[in-house]
Amino acid sequence: MNVGVAHSEVNPNTRVMNSRGMWLTYALGVGMLHIVLLSIPFFSVPVAWTLTNVIHNLGMYVFLHAVKGTPFETPDQGKARLLTHWEQLDYGVQFTSSRKFFTISPIILYFLTSFYTKYDPTHFILNTTSLLTVLIPKLPQLHGVRIFGINKY
């Protein structure tokens, strides 16, 4: 029993993406990132779109697939300590609305980026590589899997 803990969730990290307004805040954050990059005078529109996509996917990879544990004290006896945020999301249940949203959002951003870069080969390769780095770890077959022992501990 945790004395002084204000939340009723065993692991609040599991429900944060379902909280009210989270998806809107996420979309507005990506939009603001893009507007900031567009306001830099020496970036062309294709470069700004590619940077938006790459920065978004890098942030998504780090926060959802690389960082493990939880910032909260949890009474789960260290189970969350070994899981990434994606693996903790919705208690590990696959194909929930949050998981679908965070899987589809980089794909939509990728389509927008590809369109606005006019399918330039350099931008296309960068954006496709960036997209694959965030989509492959989201596959249900890779839940809890550490390839080559990376991020094992």
Side-chain angles (χ1 to χ4, degrees), residues 50 53-54 57 110 121-131:
T50 298
N53 189 35
V54 169
N57 289 342
Y110 172 76
T122 306
H123 291 283
F124 191 76
I125 290 170
L126 279 171
N127 291 319
T128 303
T129 304
S130 176
L131 176 69

Side-chain angles (χ1 to χ4, degrees), residues 4 7-8 17 19 36 39 45 56 58 74 85 88 93 115 136:
H7 52 78
S8 63
M17 296 301 183
S19 63
V36 166
S39 67
V45 172
H56 167 266
L58 179 66
T74 59
H85 187 78
Q88 295 175 39
V93 176
F115 176 76
I136 291 174

Side-chain angles (χ1 to χ4, degrees), residues 42-96:
F42 52 87
F43 285 165
S44 65
V45 172
V47 169
W49 274 104
T50 298
L51 281 174
T52 301
N53 189 35
V54 169
I55 291 169
H56 167 266
N57 289 342
L58 179 66
M60 182 176 265
Y61 179 79
V62 168
F63 291 120
L64 290 181
H65 303 292
V67 176
K68 292 168 63 173
T70 178
F72 310 103
E73 181 181 348
T74 59
D76 64 359
Q77 300 191 3
K79 291 178 187 171
R81 180 178 59 86
L82 301 173
L83 299 174
T84 64
H85 187 78
W86 181 258
E87 293 165 346
Q88 295 175 39
L89 190 63
D90 294 330
Y91 296 105
V93 176
Q94 299 295 324
F95 305 114
T96 61

